[in-house]
Amino acid sequence: MSTAILDLPEKEYIMPGTRTCAGCGLPIAYRFMLKALGPNTIMTHPACCLTILHGMYPKTPVGINAVNNTFASTAASAAGLAAGFKATGQDFTVLAMAGDGGTFDMGIQALSGAAERETDFIYVCYDNEAYMNTGVQRSSATPAGAMTTTTSVVPKEQSKKDFIQIMEAHHPAYLATTCSSYPGDVYNKFAKARNIKGTRFIHLAIPCPTGWGFHTRDTVKIGRLAVESAIIVLYEVEKGEVRLTGKSLSMAKSGRRKPVDEYLNMQGRFRKMTSAQVEEFQKQTDKHWEELLRRAGF
Amino acid sequence: MGQTLIMTGTQAAALAARLSRVQVIAAYPITPQSKIPEVLSEYVESGQLKAELVRVESEHSAMTVCISASMVGARVFTATAANGLAYMHEQLHWAAGARLPIVMPVTNRGLGAPWTILNDMQDTIAQRDTGWMQFYCMNNQEVLDQTILGYKIAEQLLIPVMICFDGFRLSHTVMPVETLTEKEVDGFLPPYKTPYKIDPQNPVNMNPVVLTDPIPDPHGELCPSYMGFRHRLQETFENAWPTIQAATREFTQLTGRSYEDCLYRYQADDAEMLFVTMGSLSSEATEAVDALRAGGTRAGVIGLRVFRPFPAATLAQAVSRAKILLVVEKAISYGYEGALNTELKAALFHENGNRPAIFNTIVGLGGKDVKPKDLEQIARESAQEASKGTVQTHPRWFGYGI
Ligand SMILES: Cc1ncc(C[n+]2csc(CCOP(=O)(O)OP(=O)(O)O)c2C)c(N)n1
Ligand code: SF4
Ligand SMILES: [Mg+2]
């Protein structure tokens, strides 16, 4: 199922004036997520750039109910909301949303627990590949070769944690990946997730001009390049079956794919990468893409 | 009135949760409280209690589940001890800051390292400044009663409460407990209602970043600063006693059991020497007092039922006629002394300036047995020191061998 841009709900849940940096990918995706989920949604989130987006007391630019929680606790907070609503006869879509630091690193225990218990909620990890809110420190989602404020002399030497595989191993009712540069894909996946029961996990790639070192006008372009070179692959998994979606699906069909160079060259964080590291990056990207093609039946 | 049953402290806590009709339970095992979630699972699975039981993967998540479920209007329950309580520490602050009426029994247990599963009070005393009320129980009857009372009080003040009782000494020891019927508790404890509603038409952002100065909302009304919110919590603590007393009075009308006095007093009126204690040590001390009195020493016991809010004025008044105070504690603030000792001295300083001889004795850490005759010995030896005019500079550690 997909929705044409003209058919998207007109209602906006994010007012102008959020406190994210200029060119942030987060509000682009969040806008379409909320259009898909609608007003009967409650969102719980830890400290991260999303906290900044939601504004400071007593004002918020976001038109859905939101709950703040601590860094390690996002999925447990969602479990508490779900249990509390059930016990008191209220009906809400429970959305948990955390960054890569709050998911790949500190939130993993609570998320694993909630997923294993088949908690009825949607968990979104928006991934900007570092601890941005605290000033661009390395996380386990930071790719090899990237400079951060804690890998500033020697760029990160280890690869990005394959967190999506970890979540797949929990066999959630629905698992998907998407990227803020493809609002239609974002919308469709959340619209679909909304109507599924059980644990739904969505990995949302978010380009971050501040942390990645690119011009604020290039946010959408960077996200598209990530997908066009298959560093980010758009797909969904239900009952173990992989389906490519949107741009990734048409790439699979056409067989056209860009090399990773253009994506890497546009970002300051990769400026210390050696050609050997670029080659390795390309190799890992190829392997990941081919594996997904195979699983999707191409 | 319900039946009188023989039960352990953990069974009393679980029964209190059922009678209080808790709606969401977060369950996680740790000795010596594990029986509480086990009994509650039985209640829920057999249909005796209608509640959402979330078998979480950690205590941090247990408290988080309670926080979020309470926030949307459910009456919530969890229980823990020792390292589990320490693991919740971040969330304890969050629960109190968010003003959520969570009730949590804690079976007091020593903290590692090195490991012990046995009783002392280091776990809850170390959480003194998290913004929770702390009630301490002397016996299993109090565990049942204080847990039910806990909801009544917490839901009016919007402050969470820890029901603290000694691991093994109460948690695993059977005692007769007079129960209440469901109807009685229903009459005493109406369903929990939040003062707000989660409404899609009027969305809010709960517990966001709050700045240092009051800021007007979109309607021009000035809203509290961070310190303003913190001050409201302190103010509620400072004004909590009338609410606590009204709840205990109503409970007395229902059960005949009185907790209106935040202190347990035994032979205290004419005592020249008073034990000042908490938890099951207060029961233990009564036996020592009987023996001391038989030997001609006018001894007595003051046991604190409530440690937060701290009953400074009542306590200072209660000990004002005694010449020797024996503050016997199962916790230590390393580098100084027992917290109760410090707070008692502060209360005397503020309330009446009395300077009795005060002897702080640290006992029973990691489950070390404290017998009435040990307390007698502490009393006699402290009296000797007092007669020599000794002023204690460090707490005495009693009974640790080497
Ligand atoms: C227990 C705890 N440790 C550390 C922090 C500090 N902290 C706040 S936001 C943040 C970074 C969040 O990174 P991520 O989850 O990737 O989200 P982003 O800011 O990148 O959007 C950290 C480490 C905290 N709030 N709580
Ligand atoms: S640091 Fe990056 S993710 Fe955070 S608000 Fe700025 S641009 Fe967005
Ligand atoms: Mg991040």
Side-chain angles (χ1 to χ4, degrees), chain A residues 39-40 54 56-59 63-68 70 73 76-77 80-81 83 85 87-88 90 92 109-110 117, chain B residues 55-58 61 64 68-69 72 87 90-91 94 198-200 203-209 211 216 223-224 229:
Chain A
N40 215 50
H54 269 256
M56 284 181 285
Y57 183 75
K59 292 173 189 163
I64 57 151
N65 284 295
V67 172
N68 288 259
T70 59
S73 67
S77 172
L81 292 174
F85 286 136
T88 54
Q90 305 173 73
F92 282 89
Q109 173 182 304
R117 295 191 302 271
Chain B
R55 297 164 182 94
V56 288
E57 81 300 328
S58 74
S61 289
T64 307
S68 292
V72 300
Y87 197 35
E90 181 186 33
Q91 302 309 76
W94 196 273
I198 310 289
D199 176 8
V204 290
N205 184 15
M206 292 195 266
N207 301 308
V209 178
L211 298 180
C223 295
F229 279 115

CSV table of all heavy atoms in Angstrom, one decimal, chain A residues 39-40 54 56-59 63-68 70 73 76-77 80-81 83 85 87-88 90 92 109-110 117, chain B residues 55-58 61 64 68-69 72 87 90-91 94 198-200 203-209 211 216 223-224 229:
chain,number,residue,atom,x,y,z
A,39,PRO,N,-3.7,11.8,15.7
A,39,PRO,CA,-3.7,12.5,17.0
A,39,PRO,C,-3.8,11.5,18.2
A,39,PRO,O,-3.4,11.9,19.3
A,39,PRO,CB,-5.0,13.4,17.0
A,39,PRO,CG,-5.9,12.7,16.0
A,39,PRO,CD,-5.0,12.1,15.0
A,40,ASN,N,-4.3,10.3,18.0
A,40,ASN,CA,-4.5,9.4,19.1
A,40,ASN,C,-3.2,8.7,19.5
A,40,ASN,O,-3.2,7.5,19.8
A,40,ASN,CB,-5.6,8.4,18.8
A,40,ASN,CG,-6.4,8.1,20.1
A,40,ASN,OD1,-6.8,9.0,20.8
A,40,ASN,ND2,-6.6,6.8,20.3
A,54,HIS,N,11.0,18.9,20.7
A,54,HIS,CA,9.7,19.1,21.5
A,54,HIS,C,9.6,20.3,22.3
A,54,HIS,O,8.6,20.6,22.9
A,54,HIS,CB,9.4,17.8,22.3
A,54,HIS,CG,8.6,16.8,21.6
A,54,HIS,ND1,7.3,16.5,21.8
A,54,HIS,CD2,9.0,15.9,20.6
A,54,HIS,CE1,6.9,15.6,21.0
A,54,HIS,NE2,7.9,15.2,20.3
A,56,MET,N,10.8,23.6,25.0
A,56,MET,CA,11.1,23.7,26.5
A,56,MET,C,9.8,24.2,27.1
A,56,MET,O,9.0,25.0,26.6
A,56,MET,CB,12.2,24.7,26.7
A,56,MET,CG,13.5,24.0,26.4
A,56,MET,SD,15.0,25.0,26.7
A,56,MET,CE,14.9,26.1,25.3
A,57,TYR,N,9.6,23.8,28.3
A,57,TYR,CA,8.4,24.2,29.1
A,57,TYR,C,8.3,25.7,29.2
A,57,TYR,O,9.3,26.4,29.4
A,57,TYR,CB,8.6,23.6,30.6
A,57,TYR,CG,7.5,23.9,31.5
A,57,TYR,CD1,6.3,23.2,31.4
A,57,TYR,CD2,7.6,24.9,32.5
A,57,TYR,CE1,5.3,23.4,32.3
A,57,TYR,CE2,6.6,25.1,33.4
A,57,TYR,CZ,5.4,24.4,33.3
A,57,TYR,OH,4.4,24.6,34.1
A,58,PRO,N,7.2,26.3,29.1
A,58,PRO,CA,5.8,25.6,28.9
A,58,PRO,C,5.3,25.6,27.5
A,58,PRO,O,4.1,25.6,27.3
A,58,PRO,CB,5.0,26.5,29.8
A,58,PRO,CG,5.6,27.9,29.6
A,58,PRO,CD,7.0,27.7,29.3
A,59,LYS,N,6.2,25.5,26.5
A,59,LYS,CA,5.7,25.5,25.1
A,59,LYS,C,6.2,24.3,24.4
A,59,LYS,O,7.3,23.8,24.7
A,59,LYS,CB,6.1,26.8,24.4
A,59,LYS,CG,5.5,28.1,25.0
A,59,LYS,CD,6.1,29.3,24.3
A,59,LYS,CE,5.6,30.5,25.1
A,59,LYS,NZ,6.4,31.7,24.8
A,63,GLY,N,2.0,18.7,18.3
A,63,GLY,CA,0.5,18.6,18.6
A,63,GLY,C,0.1,17.2,19.0
A,63,GLY,O,-1.1,16.8,18.7
A,64,ILE,N,1.0,16.3,19.5
A,64,ILE,CA,0.5,15.1,20.1
A,64,ILE,C,1.0,15.0,21.6
A,64,ILE,O,1.9,15.7,21.9
A,64,ILE,CB,1.0,13.8,19.4
A,64,ILE,CG1,2.5,13.8,19.3
A,64,ILE,CG2,0.3,13.7,18.0
A,64,ILE,CD1,3.1,12.4,19.2
A,65,ASN,N,0.4,14.1,22.4
A,65,ASN,CA,0.9,14.0,23.7
A,65,ASN,C,2.2,13.3,23.8
A,65,ASN,O,2.5,12.4,23.0
A,65,ASN,CB,-0.1,13.1,24.5
A,65,ASN,CG,-1.4,13.9,24.9
A,65,ASN,OD1,-1.3,14.9,25.7
A,65,ASN,ND2,-2.5,13.6,24.3
A,66,ALA,N,3.1,13.8,24.6
A,66,ALA,CA,4.4,13.3,24.7
A,66,ALA,C,4.9,13.2,26.2
A,66,ALA,O,4.4,13.9,27.0
A,66,ALA,CB,5.4,14.2,24.0
A,67,VAL,N,5.7,12.2,26.4
A,67,VAL,CA,6.2,11.9,27.7
A,67,VAL,C,7.7,11.8,27.6
A,67,VAL,O,8.3,11.2,26.7
A,67,VAL,CB,5.7,10.5,28.2
A,67,VAL,CG1,6.4,10.0,29.5
A,67,VAL,CG2,4.2,10.5,28.3
A,68,ASN,N,8.4,12.5,28.5
A,68,ASN,CA,9.8,12.4,28.6
A,68,ASN,C,10.2,11.3,29.5
A,68,ASN,O,9.5,11.1,30.5
A,68,ASN,CB,10.4,13.7,29.1
A,68,ASN,CG,10.3,14.8,28.0
A,68,ASN,OD1,11.3,15.1,27.4
A,68,ASN,ND2,9.2,15.4,27.9
A,70,THR,N,13.9,8.7,30.9
A,70,THR,CA,15.4,8.8,31.1
A,70,THR,C,16.0,7.9,30.0
A,70,THR,O,15.4,7.2,29.2
A,70,THR,CB,15.8,8.2,32.4
A,70,THR,OG1,15.3,6.9,32.5
A,70,THR,CG2,15.3,9.1,33.6
A,73,SER,N,15.5,4.1,29.3
A,73,SER,CA,14.2,3.6,29.7
A,73,SER,C,13.1,3.7,28.6
A,73,SER,O,11.9,3.4,28.9
A,73,SER,CB,13.7,4.2,31.0
A,73,SER,OG,13.5,5.6,30.7
A,76,ALA,N,10.8,0.6,28.1
A,76,ALA,CA,10.1,0.3,29.3
A,76,ALA,C,9.0,1.3,29.6
A,76,ALA,O,7.9,1.0,30.1
A,76,ALA,CB,11.1,0.2,30.5
A,77,SER,N,9.3,2.6,29.2
A,77,SER,CA,8.3,3.6,29.4
A,77,SER,C,7.1,3.3,28.5
A,77,SER,O,5.9,3.4,28.9
A,77,SER,CB,8.9,5.0,29.0
A,77,SER,OG,7.9,6.0,29.0
A,80,GLY,N,5.1,0.7,30.0
A,80,GLY,CA,4.2,1.2,31.1
A,80,GLY,C,3.0,1.9,30.6
A,80,GLY,O,1.9,1.8,31.2
A,81,LEU,N,3.2,2.7,29.5
A,81,LEU,CA,2.1,3.4,28.9
A,81,LEU,C,1.0,2.4,28.4
A,81,LEU,O,-0.2,2.5,28.7
A,81,LEU,CB,2.5,4.3,27.8
A,81,LEU,CG,3.4,5.5,28.1
A,81,LEU,CD1,3.9,6.2,26.9
A,81,LEU,CD2,2.6,6.5,29.0
A,83,ALA,N,0.6,-0.7,29.3
A,83,ALA,CA,-0.1,-1.4,30.5
A,83,ALA,C,-1.1,-0.5,31.2
A,83,ALA,O,-2.2,-0.9,31.5
A,83,ALA,CB,1.0,-1.9,31.4
A,85,PHE,N,-2.6,2.2,29.9
A,85,PHE,CA,-3.8,2.4,29.1
A,85,PHE,C,-4.8,1.2,29.2
A,85,PHE,O,-6.0,1.3,29.3
A,85,PHE,CB,-3.4,2.7,27.7
A,85,PHE,CG,-2.9,4.1,27.5
A,85,PHE,CD1,-1.7,4.3,26.7
A,85,PHE,CD2,-3.4,5.2,28.1
A,85,PHE,CE1,-1.2,5.6,26.5
A,85,PHE,CE2,-2.9,6.5,27.9
A,85,PHE,CZ,-1.8,6.7,27.1
A,87,ALA,N,-5.0,-1.1,31.5
A,87,ALA,CA,-5.6,-1.3,32.8
A,87,ALA,C,-6.7,-0.3,33.1
A,87,ALA,O,-7.6,-0.5,33.9
A,87,ALA,CB,-4.5,-1.2,33.9
A,88,THR,N,-6.6,0.9,32.4
A,88,THR,CA,-7.6,1.9,32.7
A,88,THR,C,-8.6,2.2,31.6
A,88,THR,O,-9.4,3.1,31.5
A,88,THR,CB,-6.9,3.3,33.0
A,88,THR,OG1,-6.0,3.6,31.9
A,88,THR,CG2,-6.1,3.2,34.3
A,90,GLN,N,-8.1,2.9,28.3
A,90,GLN,CA,-7.9,4.0,27.4
A,90,GLN,C,-7.2,3.4,26.1
A,90,GLN,O,-6.6,2.4,26.2
A,90,GLN,CB,-7.0,5.1,27.9
A,90,GLN,CG,-7.5,5.7,29.2
A,90,GLN,CD,-6.5,6.7,29.9
A,90,GLN,OE1,-6.3,7.8,29.4
A,90,GLN,NE2,-5.8,6.2,30.9
A,92,PHE,N,-4.8,4.2,23.0
A,92,PHE,CA,-3.8,5.1,22.3
A,92,PHE,C,-2.8,4.3,21.5
A,92,PHE,O,-2.5,3.1,21.9
A,92,PHE,CB,-3.0,6.0,23.3
A,92,PHE,CG,-3.8,7.1,23.9
A,92,PHE,CD1,-4.5,7.0,25.0
A,92,PHE,CD2,-3.7,8.4,23.2
A,92,PHE,CE1,-5.2,8.1,25.5
A,92,PHE,CE2,-4.4,9.5,23.7
A,92,PHE,CZ,-5.2,9.3,24.9
A,109,GLN,N,18.7,-2.8,26.4
A,109,GLN,CA,18.1,-3.8,27.4
A,109,GLN,C,16.6,-3.7,27.5
A,109,GLN,O,15.9,-4.7,27.4
A,109,GLN,CB,18.8,-3.6,28.8
A,109,GLN,CG,18.1,-4.4,29.9
A,109,GLN,CD,18.8,-4.1,31.2
A,109,GLN,OE1,20.0,-4.3,31.4
A,109,GLN,NE2,18.0,-3.8,32.2
A,110,ALA,N,16.2,-2.4,27.7
A,110,ALA,CA,14.7,-2.2,27.8
A,110,ALA,C,14.0,-2.6,26.6
A,110,ALA,O,12.9,-3.1,26.6
A,110,ALA,CB,14.4,-0.8,28.2
A,117,ARG,N,8.7,-9.5,25.3
A,117,ARG,CA,7.4,-9.6,25.9
A,117,ARG,C,6.2,-9.3,24.9
A,117,ARG,O,5.1,-9.3,25.3
A,117,ARG,CB,7.3,-8.6,27.1
A,117,ARG,CG,8.2,-8.9,28.2
A,117,ARG,CD,7.8,-8.1,29.5
A,117,ARG,NE,7.9,-6.7,29.3
A,117,ARG,CZ,8.9,-5.9,29.4
A,117,ARG,NH1,10.1,-6.4,29.8
A,117,ARG,NH2,8.9,-4.6,29.2
B,55,ARG,N,6.2,-8.4,33.4
B,55,ARG,CA,7.4,-9.1,34.0
B,55,ARG,C,8.6,-8.6,33.3
B,55,ARG,O,9.1,-9.1,32.3
B,55,ARG,CB,7.3,-10.6,33.7
B,55,ARG,CG,6.1,-11.2,34.5
B,55,ARG,CD,5.8,-12.6,33.9
B,55,ARG,NE,4.6,-13.2,34.6
B,55,ARG,CZ,3.4,-13.2,34.1
B,55,ARG,NH1,3.1,-12.5,33.0
B,55,ARG,NH2,2.4,-13.8,34.7
B,56,VAL,N,9.1,-7.5,33.9
B,56,VAL,CA,10.2,-6.7,33.2
B,56,VAL,C,11.5,-7.4,33.2
B,56,VAL,O,11.7,-8.4,33.9
B,56,VAL,CB,10.3,-5.3,33.9
B,56,VAL,CG1,9.1,-4.4,33.6
B,56,VAL,CG2,10.5,-5.5,35.4
B,57,GLU,N,12.5,-6.8,32.5
B,57,GLU,CA,13.8,-7.4,32.4
B,57,GLU,C,14.8,-6.7,33.4
B,57,GLU,O,16.0,-7.1,33.4
B,57,GLU,CB,14.3,-7.3,31.0
B,57,GLU,CG,14.9,-6.0,30.5
B,57,GLU,CD,14.0,-4.8,30.6
B,57,GLU,OE1,12.8,-5.0,30.4
B,57,GLU,OE2,14.5,-3.7,30.8
B,58,SER,N,14.4,-5.8,34.2
B,58,SER,CA,15.3,-5.1,35.2
B,58,SER,C,14.5,-4.2,36.1
B,58,SER,O,13.3,-3.9,35.8
B,58,SER,CB,16.3,-4.3,34.4
B,58,SER,OG,15.7,-3.1,34.0
B,61,SER,N,13.7,-0.8,34.6
B,61,SER,CA,12.5,-0.9,33.8
B,61,SER,C,11.2,-1.1,34.7
B,61,SER,O,10.2,-0.6,34.3
B,61,SER,CB,12.5,-2.0,32.8
B,61,SER,OG,13.5,-1.7,31.7
B,64,THR,N,10.3,2.2,35.7
B,64,THR,CA,9.9,3.0,34.5
B,64,THR,C,8.5,2.6,34.2
B,64,THR,O,7.6,3.5,33.8
B,64,THR,CB,10.8,2.7,33.3
B,64,THR,OG1,12.2,3.0,33.7
B,64,THR,CG2,10.5,3.6,32.1
B,68,SER,N,5.4,5.4,34.0
B,68,SER,CA,4.6,5.7,32.8
B,68,SER,C,3.1,5.2,33.0
B,68,SER,O,2.2,6.0,32.6
B,68,SER,CB,5.1,5.0,31.6
B,68,SER,OG,6.4,5.6,31.2
B,69,ALA,N,2.9,4.1,33.7
B,69,ALA,CA,1.5,3.7,33.9
B,69,ALA,C,0.8,4.6,34.9
B,69,ALA,O,-0.4,4.9,34.7
B,69,ALA,CB,1.5,2.2,34.4
B,72,VAL,N,-0.4,7.8,33.3
B,72,VAL,CA,-1.7,7.8,32.6
B,72,VAL,C,-2.9,7.3,33.4
B,72,VAL,O,-3.9,7.0,32.9
B,72,VAL,CB,-1.6,7.0,31.3
B,72,VAL,CG1,-0.5,7.6,30.4
B,72,VAL,CG2,-1.3,5.5,31.5
B,87,TYR,N,19.7,0.0,41.6
B,87,TYR,CA,19.6,0.1,40.1
B,87,TYR,C,18.5,1.0,39.7
B,87,TYR,O,18.5,1.5,38.6
B,87,TYR,CB,19.4,-1.3,39.6
B,87,TYR,CG,19.6,-1.6,38.1
B,87,TYR,CD1,20.7,-0.9,37.5
B,87,TYR,CD2,18.9,-2.5,37.4
B,87,TYR,CE1,20.9,-1.1,36.1
B,87,TYR,CE2,19.1,-2.7,36.1
B,87,TYR,CZ,20.1,-2.0,35.4
B,87,TYR,OH,20.4,-2.2,34.1
B,90,GLU,N,18.0,6.2,39.5
B,90,GLU,CA,17.7,7.3,38.5
B,90,GLU,C,16.2,7.5,38.4
B,90,GLU,O,15.7,8.6,38.4
B,90,GLU,CB,18.3,7.0,37.2
B,90,GLU,CG,18.0,8.0,36.1
B,90,GLU,CD,18.5,7.5,34.7
B,90,GLU,OE1,18.4,6.3,34.4
B,90,GLU,OE2,18.9,8.3,33.9
B,91,GLN,N,15.5,6.4,38.4
B,91,GLN,CA,14.0,6.4,38.2
B,91,GLN,C,13.3,6.8,39.5
B,91,GLN,O,12.2,7.3,39.5
B,91,GLN,CB,13.5,5.1,37.7
B,91,GLN,CG,14.1,4.6,36.4
B,91,GLN,CD,14.0,5.7,35.3
B,91,GLN,OE1,14.8,6.7,35.3
B,91,GLN,NE2,13.1,5.6,34.4
B,94,TRP,N,13.1,10.4,39.2
B,94,TRP,CA,12.1,10.7,38.2
B,94,TRP,C,10.7,10.6,38.7
B,94,TRP,O,9.9,11.4,38.5
B,94,TRP,CB,12.4,9.8,36.9
B,94,TRP,CG,11.7,10.4,35.7
B,94,TRP,CD1,10.4,10.2,35.3
B,94,TRP,CD2,12.3,11.3,34.8
B,94,TRP,NE1,10.2,10.9,34.2
B,94,TRP,CE2,11.3,11.6,33.8
B,94,TRP,CE3,13.6,11.9,34.7
B,94,TRP,CZ2,11.5,12.5,32.7
B,94,TRP,CZ3,13.8,12.7,33.6
B,94,TRP,CH2,12.8,13.0,32.6
B,198,ILE,N,-5.2,12.4,29.8
B,198,ILE,CA,-4.5,12.4,28.5
B,198,ILE,C,-5.5,12.6,27.4
B,198,ILE,O,-6.3,11.7,27.2
B,198,ILE,CB,-3.7,11.1,28.3
B,198,ILE,CG1,-2.9,10.7,29.6
B,198,ILE,CG2,-2.8,11.2,27.1
B,198,ILE,CD1,-1.7,11.6,29.8
B,199,ASP,N,-5.5,13.7,26.7
B,199,ASP,CA,-6.5,14.1,25.8
B,199,ASP,C,-5.9,14.5,24.5
B,199,ASP,O,-5.1,15.4,24.4
B,199,ASP,CB,-7.3,15.3,26.4
B,199,ASP,CG,-8.3,15.8,25.5
B,199,ASP,OD1,-8.6,15.2,24.4
B,199,ASP,OD2,-8.9,16.9,25.8
B,200,PRO,N,-6.2,13.7,23.4
B,200,PRO,CA,-5.6,14.0,22.1
B,200,PRO,C,-6.0,15.5,21.6
B,200,PRO,O,-5.3,16.0,20.8
B,200,PRO,CB,-6.3,13.0,21.2
B,200,PRO,CG,-6.7,11.9,22.0
B,200,PRO,CD,-7.1,12.5,23.4
B,203,PRO,N,-3.1,18.2,23.6
B,203,PRO,CA,-1.9,17.5,23.9
B,203,PRO,C,-0.9,18.3,24.8
B,203,PRO,O,-0.9,19.5,24.7
B,203,PRO,CB,-1.3,17.3,22.5
B,203,PRO,CG,-1.9,18.3,21.6
B,203,PRO,CD,-3.3,18.6,22.2
B,204,VAL,N,-0.2,17.5,25.6
B,204,VAL,CA,0.8,18.2,26.4
B,204,VAL,C,2.2,17.4,26.3
B,204,VAL,O,2.2,16.3,25.8
B,204,VAL,CB,0.4,18.1,27.9
B,204,VAL,CG1,-0.8,19.0,28.2
B,204,VAL,CG2,0.1,16.7,28.4
B,205,ASN,N,3.2,18.1,26.7
B,205,ASN,CA,4.5,17.5,26.8
B,205,ASN,C,4.9,17.3,28.2
B,205,ASN,O,5.2,18.3,28.9
B,205,ASN,CB,5.5,18.4,26.0
B,205,ASN,CG,6.9,17.8,25.9
B,205,ASN,OD1,7.1,16.6,26.1
B,205,ASN,ND2,7.9,18.7,25.5
B,206,MET,N,4.9,16.1,28.7
B,206,MET,CA,5.1,15.9,30.2
B,206,MET,C,6.6,15.7,30.6
B,206,MET,O,7.3,15.0,30.0
B,206,MET,CB,4.3,14.7,30.6
B,206,MET,CG,2.8,15.0,30.5
B,206,MET,SD,1.8,13.8,31.4
B,206,MET,CE,1.5,12.6,30.1
B,207,ASN,N,7.0,16.5,31.6
B,207,ASN,CA,8.3,16.5,32.1
B,207,ASN,C,9.4,16.8,31.1
B,207,ASN,O,10.4,16.1,30.9
B,207,ASN,CB,8.6,15.2,32.8
B,207,ASN,CG,7.7,14.9,33.9
B,207,ASN,OD1,7.5,15.7,34.8
B,207,ASN,ND2,7.0,13.7,33.9
B,208,PRO,N,9.2,17.9,30.3
B,208,PRO,CA,10.2,18.4,29.4
B,208,PRO,C,11.3,19.1,30.0
B,208,PRO,O,11.4,19.2,31.3
B,208,PRO,CB,9.4,19.3,28.5
B,208,PRO,CG,8.4,20.0,29.4
B,208,PRO,CD,8.1,18.9,30.4
B,209,VAL,N,12.2,19.7,29.3
B,209,VAL,CA,13.3,20.6,29.8
B,209,VAL,C,12.6,21.8,30.4
B,209,VAL,O,11.8,22.5,29.8
B,209,VAL,CB,14.2,21.0,28.7
B,209,VAL,CG1,15.3,21.9,29.2
B,209,VAL,CG2,14.8,19.8,28.0
B,211,LEU,N,13.4,25.5,32.4
B,211,LEU,CA,14.5,26.5,32.5
B,211,LEU,C,14.6,27.1,34.0
B,211,LEU,O,13.8,26.7,34.8
B,211,LEU,CB,14.4,27.6,31.5
B,211,LEU,CG,14.5,27.0,30.0
B,211,LEU,CD1,14.3,28.2,29.0
B,211,LEU,CD2,15.7,26.3,29.8
B,216,PRO,N,6.3,32.7,30.6
B,216,PRO,CA,4.9,32.7,30.4
B,216,PRO,C,4.5,31.6,29.3
B,216,PRO,O,5.3,31.4,28.4
B,216,PRO,CB,4.6,34.1,29.8
B,216,PRO,CG,5.9,34.6,29.4
B,216,PRO,CD,7.0,33.9,30.1
B,223,CYS,N,4.7,30.4,34.2
B,223,CYS,CA,4.8,29.0,34.7
B,223,CYS,C,6.1,28.8,35.5
B,223,CYS,O,7.1,29.5,35.3
B,223,CYS,CB,4.8,28.1,33.4
B,223,CYS,SG,3.3,28.1,32.6
B,224,PRO,N,6.1,27.8,36.3
B,224,PRO,CA,7.2,27.6,37.3
B,224,PRO,C,8.5,27.3,36.6
B,224,PRO,O,8.6,26.8,35.5
B,224,PRO,CB,6.8,26.4,38.1
B,224,PRO,CG,5.3,26.2,37.9
B,224,PRO,CD,5.0,26.8,36.6
B,229,PHE,N,9.4,24.0,40.6
B,229,PHE,CA,8.8,22.6,40.7
B,229,PHE,C,9.4,21.9,41.9
B,229,PHE,O,8.7,21.2,42.6
B,229,PHE,CB,9.1,21.8,39.4
B,229,PHE,CG,8.2,22.2,38.3
B,229,PHE,CD1,8.6,22.8,37.1
B,229,PHE,CD2,6.8,21.9,38.4
B,229,PHE,CE1,7.7,23.1,36.1
B,229,PHE,CE2,5.9,22.2,37.4
B,229,PHE,CZ,6.4,22.8,36.3
